[in-house]
Amino acid sequence: MVVFPVIRINDALRYAPVSAAYRWKADVELRDIEIFLTLAEELHFGRTAERLRITHARVSQAIKQQERKIGADLFYRTSRTVRLTPIGEQLRDDLRPVYRELHESMRRASLAAQGKTGVLRIGMIPSFAHDLRPFWDAFRARHPQWGLQIRHNLFVEPFKPLRSGAIDVLVAWFPVEEPDLTAGPVIWTEPRALMVAAEHELVERESVCLDVLGDYGVCGPSVALPDYWENTAVPFSTPRRGAVPRNTLITTWEDMATVIADGQAIQPVHWSAIRYNARPDIAYLRIRDAPPISWGLVWRSDAETPAIRGLAQVFRDLGAFTFD
């Protein structure tokens, strides 16, 4: 059972600009703050209860107690909708940074109790994190003072989590030529495959050339990517067919798979996708003339840490993995 600590909200809120209207006279449990912030996001009592794994009554009770202490409504409620009042909106904005800092303080304390001084967060655009297990294990063995967490990273707005500080290192396809980012060692190189619908006419061929992209069209990102970076993954043109049309804009791999399975487009992908994204309605073909794609580590140049350098050194020492 998780026990949530009791904090004195008057003490905590002095680190944020909160008006006198929000003075809470008594101690408030951190759990109650979490309930308020979650309801402010979900605007639905049932979803809030489900997300926090508590009862609907517990959510209602916590909000009513908070409103009594403040002396004003935090939410407008009807049988159909839940909306924040102006006071609720300001309290939400004031509490968010306080709540994040409280959780970060608890996280740091937990790490210290484990003998760790920090966590290195890795964002993965590709899906082959399991194949990199020897590298993760080597890092953990060499540097027990640092934890390591693997997270999924979208290929649209790929560098945003890195720049915002949500992750420390990104695994992305190369080249990465961003002025504020450092491109570290190549960690993986593999051939290319063409992703098509299982019933597509191209399935009858053993392999294809890049020119077929111009014949059938591909998926494009819903958010503009750096041209050089997008062109590496999905070329804008082919030697004999010219421009490659972007038939459909997509945001996630699942979006792309759905479009391709329906026959609306075809798509060049990395070879390991065959193993990690097998589906009965999708087929993969080898692309004869596509250059291999390389993946590497990327991090913010102004946020390089000993942990990042340690991870990069592990990959340099063990060497990049290459498909034959």
Side-chain angles (χ1 to χ4, degrees):
M1 176 180 178
V2 178
V3 178
F4 290 88
V6 176
I7 60 169
R8 187 173 297 279
I9 199 67
N10 285 339
D11 291 342
L13 291 182
R14 63 182 163 181
Y15 298 105
V18 182
S19 77
Y22 306 137
R23 291 174 298 175
W24 272 335
K25 302 295 186 180
D27 291 348
V28 177
E29 291 186 10
L30 180 59
R31 184 60 157 175
D32 289 338
I33 299 175
E34 182 179 36
I35 290 171
F36 167 75
L37 290 175
T38 304
L39 182 59
E41 181 180 333
E42 294 288 349
L43 296 178
H44 190 282
F45 279 80
R47 288 197 298 269
T48 298
E50 182 179 358
R51 179 169 156 185
L52 297 178
R53 298 184 178 181
I54 58 179
T55 65
H56 187 292
R58 176 71 176 89
V59 177
S60 297
Q61 179 188 39
I63 298 303
K64 288 177 181 177
Q65 287 177 346
Q66 293 168 24
E67 289 176 331
R68 284 197 298 269
K69 290 171 183 175
I70 290 172
D73 288 342
L74 299 176
F75 296 89
Y76 297 118
R77 309 163 179 75
T78 71
S79 59
R80 295 177 177 272
T81 63
V82 177
R83 293 184 297 114
L84 282 162
T85 65
I87 291 177
E89 289 178 352
Q90 184 169 343
L91 184 61
R92 174 201 61 193
D93 295 341
D94 291 338
L95 280 179
R96 274 176 173 168
V98 176
Y99 182 74
R100 284 196 297 267
E101 182 56 35
L102 286 168
H103 265 277
E104 179 61 22
S105 297
M106 293 170 66
R107 187 185 69 84
R108 289 195 296 266
S110 177
L111 289 172
Q114 301 172 49
K116 299 183 184 299
T117 58
V119 172
L120 191 63
R121 300 158 300 171
I122 315 296
M124 295 284 302
I125 292 177
S127 49
F128 51 66
H130 174 74
D131 290 285
L132 299 179
R133 185 65 181 270
F135 298 92
W136 311 141
D137 289 346
F139 175 83
R140 290 180 173 115
R142 288 188 189 184
H143 305 289
Q145 73 274 30
W146 295 316
L148 188 77
Q149 294 178 350
I150 310 298
R151 304 179 179 182
H152 175 62
N153 200 97
L154 292 175
F155 56 80
V156 296
E157 297 187 300
F159 309 123
K160 184 177 179 179
L162 200 58
R163 288 172 170 143
S164 71
I167 61 173
D168 305 302
V169 179
L170 175 66
V171 175
W173 67 75
F174 275 13
V176 171
E177 300 169 354
E178 302 296 299
D180 59 326
L181 303 180
T182 295
V186 171
I187 65 173
W188 183 283
T189 300
E190 60 185 326
R192 310 296 297 281
L194 185 68
M195 188 178 181
V196 302
E199 304 299 325
H200 201 284
E201 61 184 359
L202 289 175
V203 172
E204 297 179 0
R205 307 185 190 184
E206 292 184 359
S207 62
V208 296
C209 295
L210 282 172
D211 284 321
V212 299
L213 302 182
D215 295 333
Y216 297 97
V218 299
C219 297
S222 60
V223 178
L225 302 178
D227 283 350
Y228 75 90
W229 200 67
E230 181 180 350
N231 186 64
T232 298
V234 185
F236 291 117
S237 63
T238 64
R240 287 192 287 269
R241 299 292 195 275
V244 174
R246 264 59 175 168
N247 293 349
T248 307
L249 300 183
I250 49 95
T251 301
T252 66
W253 181 277
E254 289 72 23
D255 294 341
M256 182 173 69
T258 301
V259 168
I260 291 173
D262 190 48
Q264 300 175 44
I266 60 178
Q267 194 81 358
V269 296
H270 51 288
W271 193 258
S272 55
I274 299 174
R275 183 153 65 97
Y276 284 97
N277 297 278
R279 291 174 46 146
D281 55 353
I282 294 289
Y284 295 91
L285 307 173
R286 183 178 288 275
I287 307 176
R288 294 191 297 272
D289 57 345
I293 191 166
S294 293
W295 304 83
L297 304 182
V298 184
W299 59 85
R300 277 175 46 200
S301 301
D302 65 352
E304 183 174 308
T305 64
I308 293 174
R309 290 192 291 270
L311 180 68
Q313 192 60 51
V314 166
F315 278 97
R316 292 189 182 103
D317 291 346
L318 298 185
F321 184 88
T322 304
F323 276 88
D324 294 329

